[in-house]
């Protein structure tokens, strides 16, 4: 299919029935998302699609985290229709869905110029590690979280990232596992494990100190040993790179964390920090 002069591209709301077509686009980009991963993104967010001659040729999604912030993700334009401004149009649709909220995303170098034109600024690097994991020594003081832990998980997460990701954490408790470490009754950190792409994904990883973060990452790796594993470390998580190497994982790629300010800036309000993303799409 080729874009032709005067062709009309229509923007539509993405629904579950569009997932097979959206998945085709992400596969073309060599992204690992399964149809189920697309389902999670559309469950949490508002997706927009670009349709030309009855075929989906582009996507954009915005996931709100409360009223203050959210993430833009899955910005994809089919190669056959690039160069006609469709990427900017889709990004604007995501920003329209965001409204007054702060917007975050993980950018490739190819996407960075567009995002900068739309008011995004770089805030740090994201480093992705992946491969078939081998077991590593892990602490035995972690325990599996349950639905009764949602409130305390959401409170610690909000302290670390400044965004209300309660809906994301509820989804992770439902469709994955969350492991926690406590000091008495006080939550010191958590790590989520779920199926993603070719295997498993570790993240988010949120902890009040480096030692807790290290123990939780080790616990996550041990529980996924023998499978294809991926995680995306933030700048705070750079010190965990040695554990990735110990587990036989390789540095796969890097991405650029970018933020467009909103009406109410988000901020870290306590010692907890984000060491690994939920994913580059969900941040």
């Amino acid at each position: 299919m080729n874009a032709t002069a005067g062709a009309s591209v229509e923007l539509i709301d993405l629904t579950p029935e569009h997932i097979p077509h959206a998945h085709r686009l992400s596969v073309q980009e060599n992204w690992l998302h399964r149809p189920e991963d697309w389902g999670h993104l559309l469950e949490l967010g508002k997706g927009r699609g670009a349709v030309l001659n009855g075929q989906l040729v582009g996507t954009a999604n915005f996931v709100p985290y409360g009223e203050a912030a959210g993430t833009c993700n899955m910005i994809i334009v089919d190669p056959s229709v690039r160069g006609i401004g469709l990427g900017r149009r889709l990004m604007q649709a995501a920003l329209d869905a965001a409204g007054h909220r702060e917007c975050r995303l993980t950018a490739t170098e190819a996407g960075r110029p567009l995002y900068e034109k739309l008011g995004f600024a770089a805030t740090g690097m994201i480093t992705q590690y992946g491969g078939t994991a081998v077991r590593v020594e892990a602490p035995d003081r972690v325990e599996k979280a349950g639905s009764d832990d949602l409130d305390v998980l959401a409170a610690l997460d909000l302290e670390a990232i400044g965004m209300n990701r309660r809906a994301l954490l509820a989804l992770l408790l439902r469709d994955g596992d969350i492991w926690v470490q406590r000091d008495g009754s006080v939550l010191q950190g958590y790590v989520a494990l779920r199926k993603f792409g070719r295997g498993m994904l570790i993240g988010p990883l949120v902890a009040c100190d480096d030692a807790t973060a290290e123990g939780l990452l080790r616990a996550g790796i041990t529980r996924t040993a023998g499978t294809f594993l991926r995680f995306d470390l933030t700048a705070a998580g750079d010190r965990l790179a040695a554990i990735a190497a110990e587990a036989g994982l390789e540095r796969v790629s890097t991405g650029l964390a970018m933020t467009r300010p909103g009406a109410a800036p988000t901020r870290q309000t306590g010692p907890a920090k984000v060491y690994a993303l939920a994913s580059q799409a969900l941040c």
Side-chain angles (χ1 to χ4, degrees):
M1 179 189 57
N2 294 313
T4 58
S8 177
V9 178
E10 177 188 9
L11 293 192
I12 62 168
D13 290 334
L14 292 179
T15 66
E17 70 181 20
H18 296 112
I19 288 175
H21 311 288
H23 181 243
R24 171 183 56 80
L25 292 175
S26 58
V27 168
Q28 287 181 183
E29 298 299 310
N30 294 316
W31 295 356
L32 298 181
H33 301 74
R34 306 167 301 154
E36 295 88 345
D37 302 319
W38 267 102
H40 286 157
L41 289 164
L42 294 184
E43 178 181 346
L44 292 168
K46 177 179 176 59
R48 296 283 280 167
V51 175
L52 176 65
N53 298 328
Q55 185 166 348
L56 191 71
V57 294
T59 61
N61 191 53
F62 177 76
V63 174
Y65 291 133
E67 291 301 314
T71 66
C72 299
N73 51 69
M74 308 311 286
I75 313 301
I76 309 174
V77 176
D78 189 282
S80 65
V81 291
R82 289 177 184 168
I84 61 172
L86 188 52
R88 186 185 185 102
R89 189 175 169 191
L90 285 163
M91 264 304 300
Q92 189 58 57
L95 295 175
D96 290 345
H100 62 275
R101 294 177 179 87
E102 175 186 290
C103 296
R104 302 187 186 186
L105 56 77
T106 306
T108 62
E109 278 303 314
R112 179 176 182 171
L114 171 61
Y115 303 139
E116 288 178 336
K117 290 176 183 176
L118 292 171
F120 285 82
T123 56
M125 294 299 299
I126 304 299
T127 307
Q128 182 183 138
Y129 291 86
T132 301
V134 300
R135 292 180 64 86
V136 296
E137 184 178 349
D140 58 9
R141 59 185 181 275
V142 299
E143 57 188 83
K144 190 175 179 180
S147 57
D148 291 346
D149 293 306
L150 179 57
D151 287 345
V152 69
L153 286 166
L156 184 71
D157 192 73
L158 180 62
E159 173 186 305
I161 200 169
M163 302 192 296
N164 182 358
R165 299 198 294 182
R166 184 186 179 88
L168 170 63
L169 292 168
L171 184 149
L172 294 173
L173 284 168
R174 184 193 76 196
D175 292 348
D177 293 326
I178 296 181
W179 295 83
V180 299
Q181 183 174 319
R182 292 185 171 93
D183 181 2
S185 61
V186 178
L187 183 66
Q188 295 296 304
Y190 79 85
V191 64
L193 313 178
R194 72 183 190 278
K195 291 182 179 179
F196 178 87
R198 294 165 53 191
M200 299 291 292
L201 185 147
I202 292 180
L205 169 53
V206 172
C208 291
D209 57 75
D210 296 345
T212 300
E214 177 178 332
L216 287 167
L217 181 60
R218 288 180 173 277
I221 291 172
T222 294
R223 285 164 174 79
T224 53
T227 65
F228 184 85
L229 176 63
R230 164 186 167 173
F231 49 80
D232 299 280
L233 297 182
T234 66
D238 281 348
R239 64 202 69 197
L240 305 181
I243 301 174
E246 183 182 342
L249 305 178
E250 296 183 350
R251 177 172 166 164
V252 177
S253 64
T254 59
L256 186 68
M258 303 189 77
T259 298
R260 171 173 156 153
T266 62
R267 59 188 179 89
Q268 180 185 358
T269 58
K273 295 182 286 188
V274 177
Y275 288 82
L277 304 182
S279 70
Q280 291 193 18
L282 289 168
C283 298

